[in-house]
Amino acid sequence: MNIAYISTYTPRACGLATFNSNLKNAIESNNEPGSKSFVIAINDSDNLNQYHYPKDVRFIIRQQRQKDYIKAANAINQGIADVCIMQHEFGIYGGESGVYVLPMLYRINKPLITILHTVLQDPTYLQKLIIKEIAQQSSKIVVMAEKAVDFLTSIYEVPRHKIALIAHGVPDYDITQSNPILENPYFKDKRTLITFGLLSRNKGLETVIKALPSIVSNHPDVSYTIIGSTHPSIKLSQGEEYRDSLKQLAKNLGVSKYVHFIDSFVPEDELVNYLRAAEIYITPYLNEAQITSGTLSYAVGAGAAVVSTPYWHAEELLAEDRGKLFPFKDYERLAVIINELLADDSELSRIKANAYNYGLQIRYPKIGKKYFELLNEMIEEEKYLVKAENFTIDVERLPSFNLDYVKRLTDDTGIVQHARYGIPNLKEGYCMDDNARALIMVLMAYNQFKNKEALNLLPIYLSFIQYMQCDDGNFRNFLSFRREYLDDCGSDDSFGRTLWALGFMVCNSPNNSYKEFAKELFFNSLKHIDNLEHIRGFANSIIGLSHYLSCNSDKEVKNKLIFLADKMVKAYQEHNRSDWQWFEDKLTYDNAILPMALLKAYEVTDEFIYKEVAFKTLDFLDQETLDKGYYNPIGNDGWFYRDSKKAVFDQQAIETMAAVMMYFQAYKLTSDISYIKKMQQAFLWFLGENTLRVPLYDYETNGCCDGLTMIGLNRNQGAESTLAYFISYLTVLQAVEKEYEFETVAAKRVEA
């Protein structure tokens, strides 16, 4: 049996990596000789060489690289794997709450066991959705505590037959070997209390330190050793603040000489020796929400006397006198329990024996055998399943995401609006339209990739918007390269696009200061809405207002949105005919933005008329742009007037961007997968599925050509077209995160 293991992996300093390595070894000891099992390892940086992995690592997923997950699925499907085992913790996968794992699971066509190391009692909406979808795509879900089984069935609605309960494994300890740790000065001639694991405030180590004065007054030969480095994410943001606070607390209580720190991620063989040398192992966690604790399992397996707060896993593992429990934060009760155990050798020995005997049942060789039996059982069950027919987005066709060209167009003022071929045309200066689009794009890029380049560009575009705002709330549109205003007020379109960017910024800002700044500009601009006259100004403004309302409740903003949406409905009612379902007597530019705006309005108001008009006009636009079997937008060289011939050329990138976003919005409202297919069809216009069969995206410069003309490409690569490409690209990646919803035929059991 060839098994693909998906997880973090040694030598990465991570408990999950150690677990996966041990489990792999335990399972493979039951496997047939010559099996070709392998590991898909997960890195926590973009550096493929971050860790020196052993040869059994065949593929590396970089945590925040969405395409790596798709490539990993393809590697599994096209390779020799018969089955997969995946370890799951929310923090090891990319995207919000690790959502990037879902497109990978959706694509894997091999039987899958997922091991859940965390099952939350009170998950966020997205966390709950992710676990439910993981369960849907997995043949079996493994958890390590009864409480986790209860949560999965009652909170996540996972069928009980899909869940297997297998205890956390522990090393196959050899207690006959000599223990070098006993010569360590922290342990030699001491009765040592220990805690180990990554340090963070939720570990409650201060509770033990507060108990020490009472303990050492009765047992002066006691020492307390804390083993483990600070959690990497906490160290990055807070340094060693928690460790230093513990040292200061010990000093204040006069017990510094009894408290020792071993600041490292201890190898497993060394850790086993520490556990064997300990008199008592303590886990003083601060709340009950710990469904699995590998450290606790190791301590029990080593036959340590364990004293713990009553978090979920501890209540189960320490039952039947395998340890002692004390209330959360109750250092006085902890001191009493420790003193009693240290004063009663027979009681201490009895608890250790109970723990050790139980630990014999959860050693990795036995746990590995249970998993191997489960794998065989799963493979047998899979024979009687008809697989779902899944639609997936062709992510392999997406070029790598690269902001080099956008950075070339951007200086400390803003993004230059035009370029000659791939060279910025400084003579043309800047425009508000492009800087608003640029702000939207870098926000999307940062939220998608946590891209630092995007984050660095963000304040440039936001500052440009502030510089161009007028006292009446409107915005100028054009600025010379010498930073001289070239107009007194901009167009309705540029106003609407700027309001869109600001509304999007308020709800997607990477920090509060940017959010507050954008909010101020947003509200300064609202007074100009009543002066808008043109329908694309209405539409772009509606999208900005709807973004704001998606995360804020505001009656004034909602009334402004309804005012504009009603104007769009009125325009449709005045111009539509049985053969012309549109807002005007012509289709011109940025057409898809109009149905999209009403879809966004419906999303935040629930007014049916907006939805009705949006889909009638969307369907009409479909007929005129998807009638060739590929996306064929209205050409700007003549446009398309009612009862006239449709212009084919001077096709523009902003038209395609609007279509990509419109179709994705339609999918989000309807869950109709046909809109995802149309979205993909529209996006492929950039990559060559168009009238001339030539790509507009330039793989050399990472920019986008300005359009399709009758004689070929417009090789200039201005900001508008390049930003339209990147916004479309990032919208497609957002859709990839929804792939778990795309099933068209449910798997069903058939007779053997």
Side-chain angles (χ1 to χ4, degrees):
M1 186 190 303
N2 298 321
I3 306 167
Y5 297 85
I6 306 167
S7 175
T8 56
Y9 201 56
T10 52
R12 179 172 171 178
C14 163
L16 212 64
T18 303
F19 176 89
N20 189 60
S21 177
N22 285 330
L23 182 64
K24 177 178 179 294
N25 291 336
I27 292 174
E28 295 303 319
S29 69
N30 291 275
N31 209 346
E32 298 172 6
S35 75
K36 298 178 180 179
S37 297
F38 60 93
V39 175
I40 306 286
I42 301 159
N43 280 8
D44 50 350
S45 79
D46 284 346
N47 181 7
L48 288 170
N49 298 313
Q50 181 181 9
Y51 301 108
H52 298 292
Y53 289 119
K55 292 181 180 179
D56 52 349
V57 172
R58 302 283 179 83
F59 190 89
I60 297 171
I61 295 173
R62 292 162 292 183
Q63 184 173 349
Q64 298 298 339
R65 291 291 188 96
Q66 196 171 6
K67 289 178 70 174
D68 284 0
Y69 294 82
I70 308 304
K71 291 177 180 177
N74 292 340
I76 290 169
N77 292 339
Q78 296 164 12
I80 58 174
D82 301 307
V83 292
C84 303
I85 295 178
M86 183 182 81
Q87 314 292 337
H88 182 266
E89 279 273 19
F90 289 109
I92 68 169
Y93 298 105
E96 184 182 355
S97 296
V99 72
Y100 288 177
V101 75
L102 296 185
M104 177 179 71
L105 297 188
Y106 185 76
R107 283 172 161 80
I108 290 174
N109 60 20
K110 304 294 175 75
L112 169 71
I113 287 178
T114 298
I115 303 170
L116 299 180
H117 291 258
T118 296
V119 183
L120 300 173
Q121 185 181 31
D122 188 24
T124 65
Y125 172 82
L126 184 57
Q127 288 168 339
K128 182 176 180 180
L129 183 150
I130 287 170
I131 295 299
K132 291 181 72 169
E133 292 303 324
I134 287 174
Q136 178 69 28
Q137 300 298 332
S138 302
S139 302
K140 291 287 183 181
I141 295 289
V142 174
V143 291
M144 305 176 200
E146 288 284 0
K147 182 73 76 172
V149 176
D150 294 341
F151 286 172
L152 285 178
T153 54
S154 62
I155 299 171
Y156 300 88
E157 300 170 338
V158 179
R160 182 61 183 87
H161 69 83
K162 262 202 166 185
I163 306 168
L165 176 62
I166 302 178
H168 193 296
V170 301
D172 201 9
Y173 303 99
D174 184 357
I175 62 174
T176 63
Q177 290 183 345
S178 61
N179 190 349
I181 297 299
L182 292 173
E183 298 303 313
N184 184 305
Y186 297 164
F187 288 78
K188 188 174 183 179
D189 301 322
K190 302 286 186 182
R191 305 190 77 180
T192 305
L193 318 177
I194 72 166
T195 299
F196 78 89
L198 294 173
L199 267 63
S200 61
R201 287 196 176 273
N202 66 335
K203 296 299 176 68
L205 303 180
E206 61 275 10
T207 306
V208 185
I209 294 174
K210 289 177 182 179
L212 279 178
S214 173
I215 296 171
V216 299
S217 67
N218 289 280
H219 303 279
D221 57 345
V222 161
S223 71
Y224 179 42
T225 300
I226 298 169
I227 305 170
S229 54
T230 298
H231 194 287
S233 63
I234 293 173
K235 191 169 185 176
L236 189 64
S237 61
Q238 301 173 20
E240 294 290 354
E241 180 186 347
Y242 182 51
R243 187 186 302 272
D244 292 342
S245 72
L246 295 174
K247 291 179 180 179
Q248 186 61 48
L249 177 62
K251 181 178 179 181
N252 294 344
L253 295 174
V255 293
S256 292
K257 69 177 184 179
Y258 300 100
V259 180
H260 311 289
F261 292 87
I262 298 175
D263 183 6
S264 65
F265 187 87
V266 177
E268 186 174 279
D269 55 348
E270 189 176 341
L271 176 61
V272 168
N273 287 331
Y274 278 115
L275 288 169
R276 289 172 52 211
E279 195 82 352
I280 297 174
Y281 179 78
I282 308 172
T283 56
Y285 300 161
L286 295 180
N287 63 70
E288 65 181 359
Q290 178 99 4
I291 207 79
T292 305
S293 171
T295 61
L296 180 67
S297 298
Y298 273 39
V300 169
V306 179
V307 179
S308 175
T309 49
Y311 55 90
W312 294 324
H313 195 205
E315 284 188 311
E316 292 187 26
L317 200 54
L318 302 183
E320 301 179 8
D321 274 341
R322 292 190 289 265
K324 297 285 188 179
L325 299 175
F326 69 97
F328 297 107
K329 301 183 182 180
D330 191 344
Y331 64 90
E332 293 176 337
R333 181 59 187 154
L334 172 61
V336 169
I337 293 173
I338 298 294
N339 281 325
E340 288 177 350
L341 287 174
L342 293 177
D344 189 343
D345 288 342
S346 63
E347 177 66 6
L348 192 63
S349 298
R350 189 178 66 82
I351 291 174
K352 287 184 174 183
N354 290 344
Y356 182 80
N357 289 332
Y358 177 79
L360 293 174
Q361 305 306 312
I362 59 173
R363 293 194 175 188
Y364 271 116
K366 292 187 176 181
I367 295 299
K369 184 177 181 181
K370 289 183 179 181
Y371 274 97
F372 194 72
E373 290 170 351
L374 184 63
L375 286 167
N376 282 304
E377 175 188 327
M378 182 180 72
I379 290 172
E380 188 65 26
E381 288 182 357
E382 288 288 319
K383 295 177 181 178
Y384 306 108
L385 290 178
V386 175
K387 288 292 185 182
E389 298 174 14
N390 293 343
F391 166 76
T392 58
I393 296 170
D394 190 2
V395 179
E396 289 298 315
R397 294 192 61 177
L398 296 180
S400 297
F401 185 80
N402 187 315
L403 287 177
D404 286 352
Y405 187 67
V406 173
K407 291 192 294 182
R408 189 185 311 163
L409 292 177
T410 301
D411 59 18
D412 60 354
T413 299
I415 191 165
V416 174
Q417 66 172 320
H418 292 304
R420 293 288 292 161
Y421 298 94
I423 306 302
N425 185 356
L426 304 182
K427 293 180 180 180
E428 300 291 338
Y430 317 86
C431 77
M432 178 63 94
D433 285 306
D434 292 332
N435 281 274
R437 289 190 194 95
L439 181 60
I440 293 169
M441 188 277 290
V442 294
L443 280 167
M444 293 175 72
Y446 182 72
N447 289 334
Q448 191 72 33
F449 300 115
K450 298 297 181 248
N451 185 289
K452 291 183 179 179
E453 291 179 328
L455 186 62
N456 292 336
L457 291 169
L458 191 155
I460 297 174
Y461 307 135
L462 187 58
S463 177
F464 183 92
I465 292 173
Q466 188 269 340
Y467 185 66
M468 299 293 280
Q469 188 166 44
C470 306
D471 292 338
D472 65 354
N474 196 2
F475 299 92
R476 294 180 174 89
N477 196 13
F478 297 108
L479 187 74
S480 74
F481 185 65
R482 297 173 62 184
R483 297 186 180 179
E484 296 169 338
Y485 297 126
L486 298 179
D487 55 2
D488 293 326
C489 60
S491 65
D492 284 5
D493 286 18
S494 66
F495 173 86
R497 289 183 184 118
T498 308
L499 194 64
W500 177 352
L502 293 173
F504 187 69
M505 176 83 181
V506 170
C507 288
N508 294 276
S509 176
N511 61 51
N512 195 57
S513 61
Y514 289 172
K515 174 182 177 180
E516 292 302 317
F517 188 58
K519 194 171 183 179
E520 180 180 314
L521 299 177
F522 179 87
F523 274 96
N524 287 344
S525 68
L526 292 185
K527 53 194 170 186
H528 183 70
I529 285 178
D530 294 342
N531 300 324
L532 297 177
E533 297 179 356
H534 301 288
I535 195 164
R536 283 163 183 77
F538 302 165
N540 283 287
S541 297
I542 286 170
I543 295 170
L545 296 170
S546 69
H547 276 300
Y548 181 86
L549 290 170
S550 69
C551 62
N552 299 278
S553 179
D554 190 293
K555 188 174 182 180
E556 179 191 4
V557 174
K558 188 173 183 179
N559 287 339
K560 294 282 189 185
L561 181 146
I562 292 171
F563 169 73
L564 295 176
D566 287 347
K567 283 193 168 191
M568 290 190 68
V569 171
K570 183 179 179 183
Y572 166 78
Q573 292 169 339
E574 290 175 350
H575 292 92
N576 87 89
R577 304 289 185 272
S578 59
D579 62 344
W580 188 265
Q581 297 290 307
W582 199 242
F583 304 91
E584 303 170 292
D585 289 328
K586 58 187 179 296
L587 288 164
T588 56
Y589 64 95
D590 214 4
N591 294 298
I593 217 72
L594 305 185
M596 177 185 167
L598 287 182
L599 291 172
K600 296 290 288 185
Y602 170 73
E603 185 177 42
V604 295
T605 65
D606 211 28
E607 288 290 336
F608 179 76
I609 186 66
Y610 302 155
K611 179 181 179 182
E612 182 181 34
V613 173
F615 280 109
K616 284 182 178 179
T617 52
L618 183 154
D619 291 343
F620 175 69
L621 196 58
D622 275 359
Q623 296 170 22
E624 303 301 334
T625 58
L626 293 175
D627 56 329
K628 304 291 187 183
Y630 53 85
Y631 183 63
N632 188 37
I634 305 300
N636 274 15
D637 187 15
W639 294 334
F640 180 25
Y641 288 81
R642 191 206 304 255
D643 301 325
S644 298
K645 189 175 180 181
K646 180 169 52 180
V648 175
F649 287 108
D650 208 12
Q651 297 179 11
Q652 300 288 308
I654 60 164
E655 186 74 22
T656 304
M657 179 194 88
V660 169
M661 300 185 86
M662 173 189 71
Y663 288 128
F664 185 49
Q665 181 65 27
Y667 170 76
K668 288 196 291 184
L669 291 180
T670 64
S671 298
D672 184 343
I673 199 172
S674 68
Y675 292 120
I676 293 293
K677 295 177 179 178
K678 291 174 182 177
M679 179 206 72
Q680 179 171 259
Q681 199 172 4
F683 176 78
L684 291 175
W685 178 88
F686 288 107
L687 303 185
E689 292 195 13
N690 52 50
T691 303
L692 296 182
R693 297 294 171 179
V694 293
L696 285 90
Y697 177 72
D698 187 329
Y699 291 81
E700 182 178 341
T701 66
N702 303 120
C704 180
C705 296
D706 279 349
L708 287 180
T709 71
M710 187 177 297
I711 59 172
L713 285 175
N714 180 341
R715 290 280 289 127
N716 294 330
Q717 296 174 18
E720 177 183 286
S721 55
T722 296
L723 293 168
Y725 164 78
F726 279 115
I727 290 172
S728 301
Y729 180 105
L730 292 163
T731 301
V732 171
L733 289 187
Q734 289 179 1
V736 171
E737 294 177 16
K738 300 282 187 180
E739 280 189 342
Y740 59 85
E741 300 174 351
F742 292 176
E743 289 186 6
T744 56
V745 180
K748 57 185 178 179
R749 184 170 294 276
V750 296
E751 294 296 325

